[in-house]
Amino acid sequence: MIVELSVVPIGVGESLSGYVAKAVEVLKRAGVKYELNPTGTSFEVESFQKLAEILEQVDMALFQEGSPRNYYVIKIDHRAKGGRMEDKVRSVLEKAK
């Protein structure tokens, strides 16, 4: 499944890049394929259980970094036949020629 996660620590000021970096560190440690973009981070996981583990670790990392409150926007694309991030992007780019 493909997931897009946007983390928004509330009450920490205007710059959030340090907190986003902590979330990316969690993804690196989890060994998942990810892609950072300006408004979120997309990654691939094999199950909802693994996703829940990652989300809990991100949440804990942000609290440890000093965030008093965390808000998340999560999008999930879960297809029965599977799918990978690069396949979705390639399909759109081919059609946009």
Side-chain angles (χ1 to χ4, degrees), residues 90-97:
R90 185 181 318 106
S91 177
V92 171
L93 292 176
E94 287 172 356
K95 291 172 178 70
K97 290 182 180 182

Side-chain angles (χ1 to χ4, degrees), residues 5-95:
L5 175 65
S6 297
V7 299
V8 184
I10 296 173
V12 298
E14 186 176 338
S15 178
L16 305 180
S17 60
Y19 296 90
V20 173
K22 291 297 179 184
V24 169
E25 288 174 13
V26 169
L27 296 174
K28 285 181 182 179
R29 282 194 308 270
V32 298
K33 181 176 183 175
Y34 71 92
E35 188 173 304
L36 183 65
N37 66 63
T39 59
T41 303
S42 297
F43 58 98
E44 297 176 358
V45 291
E46 64 278 357
S47 68
F48 282 99
Q49 180 178 352
K50 180 68 173 177
L51 175 58
E53 291 170 6
I54 288 171
L55 293 175
E56 185 169 6
Q57 291 172 15
V58 167
D59 199 48
M60 290 172 39
L62 297 182
F63 283 138
Q64 290 173 353
E65 190 68 13
S67 173
R69 180 179 179 189
N70 301 322
Y71 176 81
Y72 301 95
V73 177
I74 303 167
K75 297 179 189 177
I76 300 171
D77 182 357
H78 191 205
R79 299 175 73 176
K81 67 178 184 176
R84 306 198 55 81
M85 292 185 297
E86 64 268 11
D87 296 336
K88 291 181 67 99
V89 171
R90 185 181 318 106
S91 177
V92 171
L93 292 176
E94 287 172 356
K95 291 172 178 70

